[in-house]
Amino acid sequence: MPMKPFAIFWIGLCVVAVGQDELQPVEVGDRLSPSMMENWLQRKAFAALDRREAELEKLNGEESLRSWQTERREAFINALGGFPERTPLNAKVTGKLDFEGHRIEKLYFESQPGLHVTATLYLPLGEGPFPAVLHPTGHSASAKSRDLYQEASIVIAKGGCAVLCYDPVGQG
């Protein structure tokens, strides 16, 4: 039976990603196993974890730990392409609500000039400052207004922390 175009695409992608010498498709009968990509990704992830563990084993004191942390941080920031320039948030509170055990401030801010983010700030009762939790949400149809997200933020606020729950890009 000939391979389906989708399977050929994935094999090509794997060859580009790892080189033809490392590619070992898992065969099941006349077709490729649907778990081939999952198995390959697992092998890569566990190999990376093994390399990390070996690096951690070499650490022998605070100085080497700090150096390792700095290297990891720089590699992470480099992989992200760096951070954008810090700019004023220009936050605006558009409404306030008081409830039993917590209060809410509706707001928006500019994460970058002209890029507005809608958010809800859940606050414990009393005077701050409070420890803070950043609560990113998924892409549900109602974004930060989804009951599950609101309930989680309320529980955390009633526990004494401020919670900033914001909408994903494109919502709000």
Side-chain angles (χ1 to χ4, degrees):
M1 173 188 282
M3 275 197 257
K4 301 203 182 226
F6 188 72
I8 294 169
F9 166 78
W10 278 112
I11 291 171
L13 184 64
C14 292
V15 169
V16 169
V18 300
Q20 190 163 357
D21 293 341
E22 288 187 53
L23 184 64
Q24 298 174 358
V26 179
E27 298 275 343
V28 176
D30 293 330
R31 57 193 176 87
L32 291 171
S33 166
S35 62
M36 181 182 96
M37 185 60 138
E38 179 182 350
N39 293 336
W40 178 79
L41 287 171
Q42 274 187 342
R43 285 193 308 274
K44 292 294 178 190
F46 286 128
L49 286 171
D50 289 343
R51 286 191 306 274
R52 178 180 178 270
E53 187 173 333
E55 286 182 28
L56 289 173
E57 290 293 325
K58 293 177 190 174
L59 300 178
N60 60 3
E62 187 173 338
E63 187 176 324
S64 63
L65 174 61
R66 296 280 180 224
S67 176
W68 183 83
Q69 288 173 328
T70 300
E71 290 170 11
R72 297 288 70 77
R73 184 177 193 279
E74 289 172 2
F76 180 73
I77 292 170
N78 186 49
L80 290 174
F83 290 126
E85 179 185 336
R86 288 182 180 247
T87 57
L89 293 175
N90 300 320
K92 304 271 191 259
V93 176
T94 61
K96 296 181 180 185
L97 302 167
D98 291 314
F99 296 94
E100 188 176 325
H102 72 286
R103 63 187 193 272
I104 292 175
E105 293 183 6
K106 300 176 184 181
L107 59 100
Y108 67 91
F109 60 92
E110 291 182 77
S111 62
Q112 289 291 291
L115 182 59
H116 293 91
V117 178
T118 51
T120 307
L121 181 62
Y122 295 80
L123 295 164
L125 295 180
E127 293 298 316
F130 304 108
V133 174
L134 187 61
H135 183 179
T137 63
H139 291 274
S140 71
S142 55
K144 72 179 180 325
S145 298
R146 183 177 178 192
D147 290 346
L148 177 68
Y149 301 144
Q150 289 184 45
E151 290 168 9
S153 294
I154 290 167
V155 167
I156 296 169
K158 285 183 174 181
C161 293
V163 181
L164 182 67
C165 185
Y166 61 92
D167 279 322
V169 173
Q171 287 187 303

